[in-house]
Amino acid sequence: MNPSKSPVKQNPAPTHELPYQPDAVEAKWQARWAERGTNEPDLDSAPRPFYNLMMFPYPSAEGLHVGNMFAFTGADAYGRFKRLQGFDVFEPIGFDAFGIHSENYAIKLGINPAELIPRNIVNFRRQLKSIGGMFDWRHELSTTDPAYYKWTQWLFLQLLKAGKAYKKAAAVNWCPRDQTVLANEQVIDGRCERCGTVVEQRTLEQWFFRITEYADRLLADLDDKSKMDWSESTTLAQRNWLGRSEGAEIVFSGAGALRADGQRGGGAADVTLSAAKGPKPSGAEIKVYTTRPDTVFGATFMVLAPEHPQVRALTTPDRKVEVDAYCRMVAAKDLVSRKVGEREKTGVFTGSYVQNPATGKSIPVWVADYVLMEYGTGAIMAVPGHDERDFEFARRYGLPIVRVVAPTSHPDPERSEGEGAEAPKGAEAPLEAAFVDNVNGVLVNSGQFDGMPVPEAKQAVTRWLESRGAGRSQVHFRLHDWTISRQRYWGPPIPVIYCEDHGPVPVPEKDLPVLLPLIEDFQPDNSGISPLARHEEWYYVPCPVCGKRGRRETDVSDTFLDSSWYFLRYPSTEFDDRPFDPTRTRKWLPVTSYIGGNEHAVLHLLYSRFITMVLQELGYLHFDEPFRKFRAHGHIVKDGSKMSKTHGNVVVPDEYIARWGADTFRMYLMFLGPFQEGGDFRDEGISGPRRFLDKVWTLVGEAVSEQRSSPLSHAVEIKRHQTVKKVTDGLEELRYNTSIAALMELVNTLRAENSWNQQLIEELILMLAPFAPHFAEENWERLGHDGSIFRAAWPSWDERLTVEASVEIAVQVNGKTRSKVTVPRGAEQGAAVAAAQEDAAVRRFTEGKEVRKVVYVPNRLLNFVVG
RNA sequence: GCCCGGGUGGCGGAAUCGGUAGACGCAAGGGACUUAAAAUCCCUUGAGGGUAACCUCGUGCGAGUUCGAGUCUCGCCCCGGGCACCA
């Protein structure tokens, strides 16, 4: 580089050069893509299929905000990158348009969602086109389209036929004034968000899917790398949601259950005999589930959920009034405040006792709402000494608290000082709080198990109980069956007809879809009848079996059912006689890459996996895991919190796109942080990418107009290989910000070096194409190419040419960098030391001192340790 | 309370096989061009000290391991997101 010559052109804008006009360029290429079918792979004959999926949006009235655009752009950049690498990328898009959000918004405006949603979709389509997504619009779908939900209903029928769907009573939030079911989000401080009435719990018959049957498989596949390459955070969330735990089911029973043990003798039996007095146990048998069978000797009372079927039988006549009142009080609470509201423990004594199978003592049976019917057996053995909730409850009601585990010394010997060391101690020490450590403890007050470490005791106590017929080891999942019923209007009607004689009868497949009628009075009213049931012409239908008058199911299905299979539909949208074509499915599925928000880490992704497993079992699919690769994107942060409607900090992208251009906006979004982590949105930063594109535009203009193609200098050649490597790696790892930074560096180098190598500029444009597709197309054309740049090939690099022949290494003295010297790449330690000893700065720090050690890291640094 | 992320210049962020901290961009200051402004271009920009060559300090806080720590270990603090009585 010659410093005397002006590094940049003196007269900037020659008359023949057009300034970069994003509006015109973007309109031109969006039109061409549509005309030429650039984004439409041949789904039947594509040689290298790559299914690039992104989570389809819910078409809200507000339109897509910047946070949504960030997600779509990042997924699109990846798809375009894969296209340039030679894959036939299928990138479909659609709309998740059923559901309570749309319905509530429609109710607020007084517009039927059936009118509102299509309008929103028009706006969404416009926005998605304006950002330049590589979408195959031939395969757009909407879950509200009868041609789609016909197959959602078909799916329900397949599950029903296979015995994977069943009906049972379950609690919902009920607003007594609006006469409607409320979602948990619609309950604010225990009141209806619309009318302010106190919300109640109501029990309704609802349809469930047996997802719990698949809990083991859903968990096991998470570890199977051949099936699932997923973000670690997402698999972890699924694991937690599945919530596998190992424990024991223990039977607590009335008098006489342990009679045999009296004869057997032994430590525990002695306890049994000596303690088997006091209140008379009831004759009942109650099963509990616990993860701490080792603490059974400390179970001083038992608690049943208020809904537990045995509550009635266990309640003694003198306690009946109080117990009934308590259960009614709990039932009247809404689900939200019961679960997340005040945590003050309340409960009531049933009057009955059961016998602790370990100690033989009679313990009282209580009812309390901190025990949930949905988990385990709906009953617990309360061990107040070693469970915080039981401790709190025991304190409040004056129930006995017994220590059965004492702390042991810390396993790390360095830290085993002080009190923990002389364990087991304090077998009699009173508990100020529950001692819940389930690893570092030994049993006390537990008969023959005294002194046994907790982990071992879990097994031993379980085996002992089992030998006495009072328990067995058991695995439990936290996962519940999936309730798909929604007592709402805006969803696909569940295709079932109720007949007096034949009960629930599936709608015959030939009669699908069961159309959601367009009704004016879709809003819930005081009649207490579901909106659909008010329409007799729809409600009453002949029973498919006997032809007598039957009634339709008036519930619709959960939106998560719509979205649990949409990716199966995309490749087959043109077939109206099958949900997904077997040949197409075999070619395109499972999904190659799926990108979406981690807010769907559990429900949507888990339900999709479940549905896929069922369809595979039924012979409809050749795979059982739907998404081979999944990556969760980060979120855009604005004013310190995630951009979302609930935070009220959304920014509309349209004005930015209009002002700066879609490509600049895409570049900015991809540059502001790592895609999987998100970043801060502040509009000052957007001028950077715009300036960058302007510079590239000028560079191309100069290369073309001046017909110059200079050979690459050595420095530029090295930079070229480094850049291709960095950009490629960044794209593959979704670290787009570093890819863009590398491109900026390359451009800075080219400008500084005054280099106009035609091939290199073409490569630059190619590497820019995933981020700035319209801009890249236009410049590709300016550079003299005819077809789309997305038919061209991604550049490659030579690893050997990414490094210079000589390298600058740091020279440290005692770990502090004192100087730098240039040595040949891969120089021997001797040569490096010799070079460093020439250096004055190094000498200053080593002179007169003994060099005790030399650390040499080739091509990196040299460290003299002096004493 | 529990589970995940994350704390690096004025700001967004680079650098994670332990090896030259601050790439790239924004903002700011100075200069060139211009009647002027915008745009563009050039220079400076972690803090402190020094005329300078240079020196000292510096990646949330406190310890530790190491020739060497943003990176590893232990103990804390703060911010963001998610889950919530799961026995």
Side-chain angles (χ1 to χ4, degrees):
Chain A
M1 179 168 33
N2 183 351
S4 68
K5 103 178 159 200
S6 168
V8 209
K9 335 281 103 49
Q10 288 297 5
N11 37 355
T15 46
H16 57 267
E17 188 182 298
L18 292 166
Y20 169 42
Q21 299 285 355
D23 291 356
V25 170
E26 285 161 17
K28 169 178 164 184
W29 288 98
Q30 283 169 18
R32 279 215 192 155
W33 291 336
E35 275 160 34
R36 297 177 177 177
T38 312
N39 303 333
E40 300 167 3
D42 184 329
L43 296 187
D44 296 313
S45 69
R48 296 180 71 194
F50 188 105
Y51 190 164
N52 190 48
L53 183 67
M54 56 196 86
M55 287 183 180
F56 65 162
Y58 142 67
S60 70
E62 295 85 355
L64 292 163
H65 62 68
V66 167
N68 306 133
M69 284 298 194
F70 173 76
F72 290 124
T73 302
D76 183 64
Y78 191 66
R80 289 186 177 278
F81 168 57
K82 288 292 154 187
R83 176 73 200 97
L84 285 161
Q85 284 191 323
F87 290 96
D88 296 288
V89 177
F90 176 48
E91 188 173 299
I93 193 72
F95 303 98
D96 189 15
F98 266 139
I100 199 158
H101 288 292
S102 316
E103 185 174 332
N104 286 343
Y105 191 77
I107 288 171
K108 207 165 105 190
L109 294 190
I111 302 174
N112 195 301
E115 288 172 40
L116 190 62
I117 290 298
R119 274 195 245 162
N120 294 348
I121 288 180
V122 168
N123 186 40
F124 266 61
R125 215 181 270 130
R126 178 190 61 75
Q127 285 186 300
L128 289 165
K129 285 182 178 169
S130 78
I131 197 73
M134 196 175 66
F135 300 117
D136 184 342
W137 291 100
R138 296 172 305 171
H139 290 267
E140 176 192 338
L141 64 78
S142 168
T143 54
T144 56
D145 183 347
Y148 181 85
Y149 72 70
K150 169 182 180 179
W151 300 111
T152 306
Q153 292 171 336
W154 172 88
L155 187 59
F156 173 88
L157 294 179
Q158 304 318 302
L159 272 94
L160 186 60
K161 274 198 290 190
K164 307 296 179 192
Y166 65 98
K167 226 181 167 190
K168 78 167 183 195
V172 293
N173 293 304
W174 180 262
C175 172
R177 183 152 177 276
D178 287 352
Q179 299 281 317
T180 186
V181 169
L182 301 176
N184 283 352
E185 310 83 68
Q186 295 177 284
V187 182
I188 313 289
D189 295 329
R191 291 171 181 276
C192 171
E193 83 174 345
R194 297 219 307 278
C195 67
T197 310
V198 175
V199 171
E200 300 170 354
Q201 245 186 91
R202 223 183 214 212
T203 303
L204 296 176
E205 287 277 307
Q206 311 199 55
W207 288 99
F208 285 80
F209 282 167
R210 294 188 198 278
I211 189 172
T212 53
E213 278 185 8
Y214 294 79
D216 277 317
R217 281 175 73 187
L218 289 166
L219 185 65
D221 282 358
L222 293 175
D223 291 321
D224 188 342
K225 294 286 169 266
S226 68
K227 285 183 185 173
M228 298 177 72
D229 166 18
W230 282 31
S231 293
E232 194 53 46
S233 60
T234 312
T235 52
L236 196 76
Q238 294 223 336
R239 222 170 253 125
N240 292 341
W241 189 265
L242 292 164
R244 183 180 192 274
S245 69
E246 290 181 4
E249 187 177 84
I250 301 179
V251 183
F252 284 65
S253 50
L258 297 177
R259 200 169 293 148
D261 296 298
Q263 297 154 2
R264 211 187 284 160
D270 291 341
V271 177
T272 304
L273 289 173
S274 63
K277 39 178 132 84
K280 187 175 171 283
S282 71
E285 222 184 52
I286 306 173
K287 287 177 178 167
V288 304
Y289 173 71
T290 179
T291 54
R292 294 295 305 276
D294 54 303
T295 63
V296 66
F297 288 86
T300 55
F301 58 102
M302 165 171 280
V303 187
L304 304 185
E307 303 86 353
H308 195 285
Q310 286 172 280
V311 168
R312 187 182 283 262
L314 285 161
T315 303
T316 55
D318 55 315
R319 305 291 306 153
K320 193 172 183 339
V321 174
E322 211 178 322
V323 171
D324 283 355
Y326 182 76
C327 293
R328 272 200 308 276
M329 188 270 287
V330 172
K333 277 196 207 174
D334 68 280
L335 294 171
V336 181
S337 56
R338 170 158 178 200
K339 287 204 168 176
V340 303
E342 19 82 38
R343 285 290 172 78
E344 193 83 341
K345 303 266 177 300
T346 59
V348 61
F349 177 44
T350 61
S352 288
Y353 294 82
V354 290
Q355 197 171 44
N356 180 320
T359 64
K361 283 185 186 169
S362 279
I363 60 171
V365 179
W366 286 65
V367 172
D369 72 347
Y370 80 92
V371 173
L372 306 174
M373 195 59 220
E374 317 90 85
Y375 187 78
T377 60
I380 62 157
M381 63 174 204
V383 184
H386 305 285
D387 181 279
E388 281 166 11
R389 298 151 300 181
D390 298 344
F391 183 84
E392 191 191 325
F393 193 78
R395 271 273 172 97
R396 177 160 175 160
Y397 291 100
L399 294 158
I401 300 172
V402 176
R403 178 194 281 278
V404 291
V405 178
T408 45
S409 57
H410 199 281
D412 181 350
E414 282 181 23
R415 335 187 89 259
S416 73
E417 36 187 83
E419 32 193 337
E422 70 270 24
K425 72 140 210 178
E428 301 310 319
L431 284 152
E432 289 304 312
F435 175 73
V436 297
D437 190 333
N438 69 352
V439 179
N440 306 301
V442 292
L443 268 56
V444 294
N445 298 326
S446 298
Q448 78 255 40
F449 298 102
D450 281 358
M452 187 181 282
V454 165
E456 195 185 327
K458 285 182 184 173
Q459 312 286 323
V461 172
T462 306
R463 277 196 303 273
W464 177 67
L465 289 170
E466 190 159 9
S467 73
R468 296 152 51 95
R472 61 197 175 91
S473 66
Q474 203 172 51
V475 167
H476 252 281
F477 285 88
R478 205 190 131 126
L479 179 74
H480 299 143
D481 274 344
W482 172 17
T483 330
I484 61 131
S485 296
R486 294 292 180 272
Q487 296 73 32
R488 286 282 174 167
Y489 169 66
W490 192 236
I494 293 173
V496 168
I497 293 165
Y498 296 97
C499 169
E500 293 272 318
D501 299 341
H502 299 94
V505 179
V507 171
E509 285 179 25
K510 66 173 173 51
D511 295 341
L512 295 182
V514 176
L515 286 171
L516 177 68
L518 179 62
I519 58 174
E520 288 306 315
D521 52 344
F522 62 92
Q523 313 200 7
D525 67 11
N526 295 339
S527 67
I529 300 169
S530 144
L532 289 179
R534 290 194 291 259
H535 291 259
E536 297 196 354
E537 73 290 354
W538 184 85
Y539 184 55
Y540 293 109
V541 284
C543 165
V545 180
C546 63
K548 274 206 264 177
R549 190 166 92 153
R551 296 167 294 112
R552 283 199 191 277
E553 167 67 78
T554 56
D555 285 354
V556 298
S557 59
D558 183 7
T559 344
F560 281 114
L561 183 59
D562 303 329
S563 59
S564 69
W565 75 283
Y566 77 111
F567 51 91
L568 297 174
R569 181 65 183 165
Y570 275 140
S572 304
T573 46
E574 71 264 50
F575 300 103
D576 51 16
D577 61 341
R578 64 202 96 158
F580 33 89
D581 177 69
T583 312
R584 285 277 172 86
T585 302
R586 198 161 273 281
K587 189 165 188 71
W588 291 93
L589 283 136
V591 169
T592 322
S593 166
Y594 194 16
I595 287 175
N598 231 4
E599 63 272 18
H600 292 117
V602 280
L603 299 179
H604 162 61
L605 290 173
L606 203 63
Y607 293 151
S608 300
R609 295 180 58 209
F610 159 66
I611 291 294
T612 302
M613 284 178 184
V614 173
L615 288 173
Q616 189 245 9
E617 262 177 21
L618 298 179
Y620 289 105
L621 297 176
H622 64 285
F623 54 92
D624 62 354
E625 284 295 344
F627 314 120
R628 181 142 286 159
K629 175 173 172 179
F630 174 78
R631 290 292 179 272
H633 63 246
H635 289 284
I636 292 289
V637 168
K638 177 104 196 326
D639 308 325
S641 53
K642 167 179 154 181
M643 187 177 290
S644 69
K645 261 179 284 171
T646 42
H647 284 110
N649 58 353
V650 297
V651 175
V652 178
D654 301 29
E655 49 199 276
Y656 289 92
I657 293 171
R659 169 148 179 230
W660 297 94
D663 289 320
T664 298
F665 193 61
R666 286 171 63 108
M667 294 275 294
Y668 169 64
L669 290 176
M670 296 301 95
F671 186 55
L672 57 66
F675 184 59
Q676 292 184 77
E677 285 164 40
D680 256 41
F681 186 83
R682 29 185 89 234
D683 25 8
E684 305 95 82
I686 199 169
S687 55
R690 177 56 203 257
R691 277 181 206 147
F692 170 68
L693 291 183
D694 283 341
K695 284 175 195 172
V696 175
W697 184 273
T698 307
L699 210 56
V700 171
E702 278 157 355
V704 170
S705 69
E706 302 185 16
Q707 293 290 310
R708 296 211 254 158
S709 185
S710 48
L712 292 184
S713 70
H714 180 63
V716 175
E717 175 75 11
I718 299 275
K719 193 72 189 170
R720 178 206 170 269
H721 288 274
Q722 287 174 340
T723 305
V724 177
K725 177 183 162 71
K726 276 181 82 173
V727 173
T728 308
D729 290 351
L731 275 157
E732 195 51 76
E733 292 159 21
L734 310 184
R735 289 162 30 154
Y736 303 139
N737 54 333
T738 57
S739 292
I740 293 171
L743 290 170
M744 288 173 167
E745 280 190 61
L746 175 64
V747 168
N748 291 345
T749 303
L750 294 183
R751 284 159 54 87
E753 298 275 329
N754 247 332
S755 181
W756 277 275
N757 181 271
Q758 167 94 11
Q759 193 199 334
L760 181 49
I761 286 175
E762 289 187 358
E763 286 172 351
L764 165 68
I765 299 302
L766 273 164
M767 290 190 282
L768 214 39
F771 306 111
H774 319 84
F775 179 90
E777 290 277 27
E778 183 67 17
N779 282 293
W780 194 246
E781 192 176 73
R782 291 172 83 205
L783 286 161
H785 295 278
D786 270 343
S788 168
I789 191 172
F790 293 98
R791 298 284 178 265
W794 191 253
S796 60
W797 77 93
D798 183 337
E799 191 70 43
R800 289 165 304 178
L801 294 177
T802 60
V803 290
E804 297 275 4
S806 61
V807 286
E808 190 182 58
I809 65 167
V811 183
Q812 301 182 333
V813 179
N814 287 345
K816 282 183 193 278
T817 303
R818 295 300 179 182
S819 188
K820 290 161 191 179
V821 294
T822 302
V823 296
R825 166 157 293 276
E828 295 294 318
Q829 175 168 332
V833 169
Q837 278 167 347
E838 298 284 301
D839 191 273
V842 175
R843 274 201 190 148
R844 203 146 28 86
F845 287 92
T846 53
E847 209 115 78
K849 292 177 182 150
E850 183 204 352
V851 176
R852 289 192 307 195
K853 188 174 173 187
V854 175
V855 180
Y856 180 57
V857 183
N859 306 325
R860 286 280 181 182
L861 60 66
L862 182 64
N863 186 11
F864 293 103
V865 183
V866 301

